[in-house]
Amino acid sequence: LTGLRQAARENDAFTLDAIIQRDVAWRQQAKRGTGALLDAVMQGAMSRNLTLVRVPRQAVLADLMLTDDRGLLVAATRIPSDYDQSDEAKYIVPATSDPGMVHVEEAAYDESADDYVVAASILLIDPVDGRTLGVLCANFTLAALARD
């Protein structure tokens, strides 16, 4: 939680223009597979921790993504197409719902997973002060879920 708290505090300083600039930079860097912003997120400690959670479950768990309280990407196990997730249902629904509610989306084909996935996301609340920290989203491989 410490890393997510820190990321949320750092991201609070970003203006809307700065977020748009970061999102544009992310999209360009995602196409190349490298860049300062992308590398900072994808190689950061929180992304490494998410990967440690995902690897033993990779047959079922296609990927994990973590945003801050504004929907800005702070960690992921696979490069998402955009940095600003605040306009997507996987962020909006949990962020505007009661804590503890899990938002589940309909199965959809995911090109990077090369499979159909079901996305589930949940709002993360700081147990110390009750502040919204962000949203955790998990994409589950539908074929693996059907087998289990």
Side-chain angles (χ1 to χ4, degrees):
L1 291 179
T2 302
L4 187 52
R5 285 182 191 114
Q6 180 180 345
R9 280 193 304 270
E10 290 170 2
N11 291 348
D12 280 346
F14 293 140
T15 64
L16 181 57
D17 285 340
I19 292 169
I20 291 169
Q21 289 173 0
R22 290 173 75 86
D23 198 49
V24 168
W26 180 273
R27 290 170 194 254
Q28 293 169 345
Q29 293 172 27
K31 288 178 185 173
R32 291 192 313 265
T34 190
L37 176 60
L38 186 135
D39 293 346
V41 171
M42 298 305 297
Q43 297 172 12
M46 286 188 288
S47 289
R48 289 192 309 271
N49 289 337
L50 288 181
T51 299
L52 291 174
V53 169
R54 181 188 165 266
V55 167
R57 299 159 188 85
Q58 62 189 349
V60 174
L61 193 52
D63 66 270
L64 292 164
M65 180 172 46
L66 182 62
T67 71
D68 71 2
D69 60 326
R70 295 173 70 188
L72 305 179
L73 188 67
V74 295
T77 59
R78 191 177 47 190
I79 300 172
S81 59
D82 50 352
Y83 171 78
D84 182 5
Q85 302 289 318
S86 67
D87 62 344
E88 301 197 23
K90 63 186 166 198
Y91 170 79
I92 294 169
V93 175
T96 58
S97 300
D98 293 331
M101 185 192 128
V102 176
H103 168 67
V104 179
E105 296 183 2
E106 290 188 30
Y109 185 75
D110 184 315
E111 285 185 36
S112 55
D114 192 28
D115 206 341
Y116 284 87
V117 299
V118 174
S121 51
I122 189 167
L123 183 67
L124 301 176
I125 302 293
D126 192 324
V128 174
D129 62 12
R131 176 183 173 184
T132 297
L133 290 174
V135 172
L136 177 65
C137 181
N139 284 326
F140 296 92
T141 306
L142 192 59
L145 290 174
R147 286 191 302 267
D148 290 343

